[in-house]
Amino acid sequence: MRVKSQWFKSETPKSATEIAGAAAFIVFRIAQNSLKNMRKARFELPPGATYFAFLAEFLAFLTLVADRIAHGRGDEPWRIEFTTALANRVGAFLADNESSLLGVDTPEEIKRRFVALVNARSADYSDCRWSDAGPDYAFLRCLGHRVAEVMERHEQTWAVTQVIDSEAPDATETLQRAMAGLLDDAPRRPRGGSAARGE
C-alpha cells in the first residue's frame, strides 16, 4: 500500500499536532486496507459491530506504533502532544464512520470509547519491545489475540495467524515509511527542477 507522507512546503516546521493530523489520516487508511485484506482472505467481517470492533483494535495498535516511532525523537513533551492529538483525531475518523453507518452511539461516545481503548492497549503493549526494525513478535502477537477476540469463534485461530504473519507486519512497515516522511525536516527541492535561470 502506498501513502503520501511528504509536506508540500518545508520552510515552516510542523507542530506535533499538525503531524498527528496527517498521521491520523494515514493510520485510518492503513487500518481500512488491513480490514479489506482480511475480508479478501474470507474472514467474516460484514459492516456491523464486528467490523468496527476489528477496526478499532487495528487503529489502536497503529496509534501505539506511531507513539513508539515518536518516542524515537527523544522529546517526551512532543511525543505526548503528538500521541494525544493522534488518538483523538483517529477516534474522530472512527466515530464519523461508525455513527453514520450503524447509528447506535453518538460520535462523542465512540470517540471517547476509542481513546479509552488506546489507553488500555497502551498498558497491554507496554511490555512488548520496539526497535528500529519495528515491533517484536510479542507486539504482533498481542494484536493478533486482541483481533481474534472480536472474530467469530471458528475463525479465531486463523485470524491470529493472518494478523501476525501478514497484516500487522505490512501495516507497521507502511506506517514506518509514512512517519519517516512526515517527520523529515530536510528541505525539499521544488518540482520541475532547480536549475538557475539567468537574466
Side-chain angles (χ1 to χ4, degrees):
M1 176 183 177
R2 296 183 64 184
V3 292
K4 291 188 73 174
S5 61
Q6 293 182 337
W7 302 103
F8 287 112
K9 295 181 180 179
S10 59
E11 306 86 44
T12 307
K14 298 293 184 282
S15 70
T17 299
E18 287 176 308
I19 293 173
F25 177 75
I26 293 168
V27 161
F28 199 78
R29 279 195 58 207
I30 294 171
Q32 285 181 311
N33 189 64
S34 297
L35 194 150
K36 186 168 96 175
N37 290 341
M38 292 289 285
R39 294 175 82 180
K40 278 184 185 176
R42 304 201 180 274
F43 288 95
E44 295 176 25
L45 288 163
T50 302
Y51 177 101
F52 283 105
F54 174 96
L55 195 56
E57 284 293 349
F58 228 98
L59 289 169
F61 168 79
L62 290 171
T63 298
L64 293 168
V65 165
D67 174 66
R68 294 291 182 100
I69 295 169
H71 178 69
R73 288 175 61 98
D75 184 340
E76 195 61 18
W78 191 97
R79 176 193 185 185
I80 292 169
E81 181 186 342
F82 168 81
T83 304
T84 301
L86 178 63
N88 278 281
R89 193 72 187 106
V90 170
F93 282 139
L94 177 66
D96 287 346
N97 280 264
E98 185 175 337
S99 63
S100 64
L101 188 63
L102 301 186
V104 177
D105 297 321
T106 66
E108 293 75 22
E109 289 171 323
I110 297 166
K111 179 181 172 184
R112 191 163 46 248
R113 191 165 61 230
F114 176 74
V115 172
L117 178 66
V118 171
N119 289 327
R121 294 298 174 255
S122 179
D124 293 343
Y125 290 116
S126 63
D127 290 333
C128 302
R129 294 183 180 175
W130 179 272
S131 68
D132 290 342
D136 66 359
Y137 180 79
F139 212 130
L140 304 180
R141 186 173 179 272
C142 188
L143 173 63
H145 283 279
R146 291 304 179 204
V147 163
E149 289 172 1
V150 308
M151 306 288 288
E152 296 292 333
R153 183 176 292 275
H154 68 279
E155 295 185 319
Q156 289 180 344
T157 300
W158 298 114
V160 172
T161 302
Q162 178 75 11
V163 168
I164 292 174
D165 291 349
S166 182
E167 303 311 323
D170 289 351
T172 300
E173 184 180 339
T174 302
L175 183 55
Q176 285 178 290
R177 286 198 312 267
M179 286 287 291
L182 292 177
L183 296 172
D184 183 9
D185 294 329
R188 305 192 193 295
R189 287 194 290 181
R191 290 187 176 184
S194 58
R197 296 177 183 268
E199 292 293 324

